[in-house]
């Protein structure tokens, strides 16, 4: 029988969706086995080359307090008003600081000592940022590798939206927890907050969105750029390979033709945008980019919820990754 996911329990305090989890039956008692305390894992590699030092410090302090299960210090990183926190894969919208604090206060202390949450890539500045992070399976029952869109005001988080691939989490688990489409939120608090991303970055991202829609990214990527799609588990190295792939795939990519921008985040050194697709239900996600001194893209990372598509649709998308 499937164990209940911890993410359902933690965020379930914001709504009735926690009832979607299955309850595990009793397990036989086992004899106690003496064991040594868990050995702390080393810090994972972290890329912060396109982030300001102040942003890096704030993000790492946030994840330090989350891993330490210190509810008070963790919640101190969030604005009390306003605050808009959303899990975009499950469609869970937490509307205020009190609701978020109540759920973490109840369940964060139950996380084991081995639970970890940490950032692997940070892009942007203290106004708005893109953060790639990992939640170990001990937190929510399955590993989550997410990209978060984060807005700050006066040093505190006022909006956070987490995007991640449900297939990596487990299709059945995600299906059991996802908000039904008729009730799925259509906005994630962006209508309440002015954008604070760099104007220069917004111009670059505007060109990128148009290029992905048209299937012509010539001149946008640096010669040795890296392109990765976390949901498709695929990547390309070099502008020539990237341009050819986008040309083949743009009419089928969720972030290709017909895509609209929900919000941009970041600085002149890099950032990204949340996008809304025009295809399958729940077609939305996020793109993160890093830029060189000439505003060319040196790294492109996209993620979206591939659990929304069946295997045949995924196979069609993967067929576009083949070079001929």
């Amino acid at each position: 029988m499937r164990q209940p996911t911890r993410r359902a329990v933690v965020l379930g305090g914001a709504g009735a969706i926690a009832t979607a989890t299955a309850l595990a039956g009793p397990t036989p008692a086992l004899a106690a086995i003496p064991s040594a305390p868990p050995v702390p894992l080393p810090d994972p590699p972290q890329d912060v080359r396109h982030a300001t030092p102040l942003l890096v410090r704030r993000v790492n302090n946030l994840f330090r307090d989350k891993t330490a299960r210190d509810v008070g210090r963790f919640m101190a990183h969030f604005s009390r008003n306003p605050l808009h926190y959303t899990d975009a894969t499950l469609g869970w919208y937490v509307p205020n600081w009190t609701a978020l604090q109540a759920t973490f206060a109840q369940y964060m202390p139950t996380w084991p000592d081995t639970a970890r949450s940490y950032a692997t890539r940070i892009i942007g500045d203290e106004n708005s940022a893109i953060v790639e992070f990992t939640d170990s399976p001990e937190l929510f029952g399955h590993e989550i590798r997410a990209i978060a869109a984060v807005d700050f005001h006066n040093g505190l988080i006022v909006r956070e939206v987490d995007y991640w691939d449900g297939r990596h989490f487990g299709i059945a688990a995600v299906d059991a927890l996802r908000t039904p489409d008729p009730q799925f939120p259509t906005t994630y608090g962006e209508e309440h907050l002015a954008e604070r991303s760099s104007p220069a970055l917004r111009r670059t991202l505007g060109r990128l969105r148009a290029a992905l829609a048209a299937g012509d990214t010539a001149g946008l990527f640096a010669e040795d750029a890296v392109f990765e799609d976390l949901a498709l588990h695929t990547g390309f190295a070099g502008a020539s390979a990237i341009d050819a792939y986008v040309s083949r795939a743009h009419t089928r990519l969720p972030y290709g033709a017909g895509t609209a921008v929900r919000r941009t985040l970041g600085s002149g050194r890099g950032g990204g945008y949340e996008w809304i697709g025009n295809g399958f239900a729940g077609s939305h996600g996020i793109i993160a980019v890093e830029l060189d001194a000439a505003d060319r893209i040196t790294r492109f990372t996209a993620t979206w919820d591939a659990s929304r598509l069946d295997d045949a649709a995924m196979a069609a998308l993967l067929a576009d990754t083949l070079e001929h």
Side-chain angles (χ1 to χ4, degrees):
M1 181 175 289
R2 181 173 58 84
Q3 295 285 345
T5 66
R6 288 183 178 269
R7 193 168 184 85
V9 177
V10 169
L11 293 180
I17 44 184
T19 59
T21 57
L23 297 177
T27 55
L30 300 176
I33 301 176
S35 61
V39 177
L41 296 174
D43 290 336
Q46 185 181 77
D47 191 333
V48 298
R49 292 173 296 170
H50 295 79
T52 61
L54 179 56
L55 172 66
V56 172
R57 185 164 64 251
R58 287 176 175 167
V59 169
N60 284 333
N61 287 345
L62 170 76
F63 284 98
R64 174 203 65 199
D65 296 335
K66 184 179 177 182
T67 296
R69 299 161 294 169
D70 189 323
V71 179
R73 292 182 64 171
F74 175 68
M75 289 304 303
H77 297 283
F78 294 88
S79 166
R80 287 180 178 265
N81 186 31
L83 177 61
H84 307 276
Y85 186 99
T86 307
D87 184 308
T89 297
L90 299 179
W92 292 356
Y93 175 63
V94 182
N96 54 61
W97 187 94
T98 301
L100 191 63
Q101 192 275 340
T103 53
F104 279 112
Q106 183 174 359
Y107 297 108
M108 188 181 280
T110 70
W111 295 348
D113 291 341
T114 53
R116 300 187 77 207
S117 185
Y118 53 91
T120 54
R121 186 179 302 276
I122 306 171
I123 310 171
D125 61 20
E126 48 273 18
N127 293 312
S128 62
I130 300 287
V131 180
E132 296 184 33
F133 72 92
T134 300
D135 283 338
S136 69
E138 297 93 331
L139 272 72
F140 304 118
H142 302 261
E143 181 184 73
I144 294 175
R145 292 188 176 269
I147 302 181
V150 187
D151 282 282
F152 297 88
H153 183 65
N154 292 333
L156 300 176
I157 296 170
V158 293
R159 179 179 181 269
E160 178 176 338
V161 185
D162 297 343
Y163 293 89
W164 46 278
D165 173 26
R167 279 182 171 259
H168 185 64
F169 189 82
I171 294 176
V174 170
D175 285 345
L177 303 173
R178 185 186 289 118
T179 301
D181 285 338
Q183 288 81 47
F184 207 95
T186 57
T187 61
Y188 302 147
E190 65 273 10
E191 70 274 23
H192 301 298
L193 302 169
E195 287 198 4
R196 304 183 69 198
S197 57
S198 158
L201 173 69
R202 289 200 294 271
R203 289 192 292 271
T204 298
L205 295 178
R207 292 195 296 270
L208 173 62
R209 187 211 61 78
L212 291 172
D216 182 4
T217 54
L220 277 179
F221 288 88
E223 182 178 1
D224 295 314
V226 173
F227 179 109
E228 60 180 348
D229 185 316
L230 300 182
L232 287 178
H233 297 281
T234 192
F236 294 90
S240 295
I242 295 168
D243 292 344
Y245 169 65
V246 172
S247 178
R248 291 192 301 272
H250 73 283
T251 59
R252 287 170 291 278
L253 280 173
Y255 44 86
T259 302
V261 174
R262 181 188 298 276
R263 189 174 184 83
T264 62
L265 307 102
S267 69
R269 303 169 67 183
Y273 65 91
E274 301 167 73
W275 52 266
I276 305 169
N278 69 344
F280 54 89
S283 177
H284 58 225
I286 193 168
I287 288 170
V289 300
E290 296 177 351
L291 305 177
D292 64 13
D295 290 336
R296 295 176 303 177
I297 298 169
T298 58
R299 188 179 190 92
F300 172 110
T301 306
T303 200
W304 47 281
D305 183 13
S307 72
R308 289 282 195 165
L309 298 181
D310 61 23
D311 289 356
M314 290 295 291
L317 287 172
L318 289 169
D320 287 325
T321 66
L322 300 176
E323 297 180 308
H324 300 283

